[in-house]
Amino acid sequence: MSNWDEIRTAWQVARLGTVSGAAEILGVHHATVIRHIDALEKQLGTRLFQRHARGYTPTEAGRDLLKVADTAADQFSQLAGRLRGQGETVAGELVITSVGGMAKFLIPALASFQVLYPQISIRCLTDHRLFRLEYGEAHVAIRAGNAPDDPDNVVQPFGSLPYALYASRSYVEAHGRPEGPEDYLHHRFIGGEGDQLRAPFFRWMDANVPAQAITFRGTEPAVTAEAIRAGLGIGFCTPSEARREPDLIEILPARPEWAAPLWLVTHVDLHRTAKVQAFLSHLKSCAPEWQDRGKA
């Protein structure tokens, strides 16, 4: 069967015996019920109901359909009960998606969360695309930039991720350091591309650095970070990342207007489950330490 809606409609008509009764239960117009029945009978190549003045009576084929649909509905009800039970325990798979640059902060929090809840299995996804929470691609998303506005998501502010301008030692030795904005034209900068252009620090770069001085662009943080390390120009990364790279030299310190606002995003259907609530609470308890380390 390609359309469960049509089967469900036929099941309700078989149970109730009338189109109007099925339409009321399903919350649809009676014409929709008739259309579903006609389409299903055409697909099966047989009559499911005898139409008469008092309503619809299932044929032998209709009674067979009713038995199958009854079984399916009962199994679905049992499944829903099991899933509701799982939702009350902090166990099973937890899928987290995060922006680039968060690994240094996020991984220790995930490790301590698993210590607290050893029955949790974690999948941590990082990508430049947005994972779709409404399709179950992730339980919790950590996103940066403008506040997400999908009405089906619960969005909570989660501090910010600081950024500063860096260059490799090899770049500074070859080209020196800009003394001020008047020198930007004589240097090479690494900018963003695509979705990255929404980041506040890349908006600053496009507004303040001459276009001809932005000689390399990348669509992912990993690409622009590698370009900075390779000496292709001056670019943005977080201070925590820079501290792990002894060959990176700070060109300009972090500024408040460059910081990327962070947001915790969950789908409304999963937000109140015990697993998600436990993780959000744990993550928030780690946030003050992240902010302090990010500014250090």
Side-chain angles (χ1 to χ4, degrees):
M1 294 301 143
S2 60
N3 194 331
W4 170 249
D5 284 343
E6 293 168 359
I7 299 173
R8 184 178 60 170
T9 298
W11 177 49
Q12 293 293 352
V13 171
R15 287 178 59 247
L16 301 171
T18 65
V19 167
S20 59
E24 182 177 355
I25 288 291
L26 295 170
V28 298
H29 194 273
H30 74 273
T32 301
V33 174
I34 294 172
R35 186 170 65 252
H36 282 183
I37 296 299
D38 291 344
L40 191 56
E41 289 182 334
K42 182 177 180 180
Q43 182 180 352
L44 294 173
T46 188
R47 284 278 186 179
L48 296 173
F49 299 96
Q50 295 291 339
R51 281 82 163 166
H52 51 76
R54 297 185 307 278
Y56 280 44
T57 300
T59 62
E60 183 177 356
R63 290 192 294 272
D64 285 343
L65 177 70
L66 180 60
K67 292 177 184 177
V68 172
D70 274 336
T71 300
D74 182 60
Q75 291 176 338
F76 184 81
S77 178
Q78 293 179 28
L79 173 64
R82 290 197 300 271
L83 293 179
R84 283 194 295 270
Q86 291 175 7
E88 298 307 315
T89 62
V90 185
E93 185 176 70
L94 180 68
V95 184
I96 310 299
T97 175
S98 173
V99 296
M102 288 291 294
K104 182 177 178 63
F105 304 130
L106 184 58
I107 296 303
L110 294 178
S112 56
F113 186 69
Q114 277 192 315
V115 170
L116 292 173
Y117 303 102
Q119 291 182 300
I120 282 287
S121 174
I122 293 174
R123 290 175 59 209
C124 186
L125 311 176
T126 56
D127 201 314
H128 68 280
R129 77 177 181 91
L130 291 181
F131 289 88
R132 302 183 66 177
L133 304 185
E134 67 271 25
Y135 288 118
E137 291 185 338
H139 294 92
V140 177
I142 303 175
R143 294 179 178 168
N146 296 330
D149 57 3
D150 189 320
D152 291 330
N153 289 337
V154 178
V155 180
Q156 303 174 71
F158 191 53
S160 61
L161 198 60
Y163 279 84
L165 272 174
Y166 293 89
S168 69
R169 193 173 306 278
S170 63
Y171 177 89
V172 173
E173 290 173 352
H175 303 282
R177 305 162 58 117
E179 296 298 326
E182 65 279 2
D183 289 341
Y184 292 167
L185 182 59
H186 308 297
H187 281 270
R188 304 172 74 84
F189 285 82
I190 297 168
E193 183 76 20
D195 290 342
Q196 282 218 92
L197 290 175
R198 295 200 298 264
F201 46 89
F202 280 135
R203 291 201 301 266
W204 176 91
M205 180 179 286
D206 283 345
N208 291 274
V209 175
Q212 58 268 43
I214 305 176
T215 55
F216 184 96
R217 290 184 181 271
T219 57
E220 298 182 36
V223 172
T224 52
E226 188 60 36
I228 298 170
R229 287 192 291 268
L232 294 182
I234 301 169
F236 284 102
C237 70
T238 65
S240 62
E241 291 176 300
R243 285 194 291 273
R244 301 200 306 270
E245 301 287 343
D247 284 336
L248 289 189
I249 296 173
E250 184 182 84
I251 302 300
L252 287 176
R255 297 180 180 179
E257 65 266 29
W258 293 346
L262 295 175
W263 309 92
L264 288 177
V265 187
T266 53
H267 192 269
V268 65
D269 290 341
L270 296 177
H271 179 71
R272 290 297 176 189
T273 60
K275 178 167 57 180
V276 169
Q277 283 296 306
F279 179 68
L280 291 176
S281 177
H282 182 73
L283 204 56
K284 291 174 184 177
S285 73
C286 298
E289 180 185 356
W290 294 3
Q291 296 300 311
D292 291 342
R293 289 168 61 188
K295 296 173 183 176

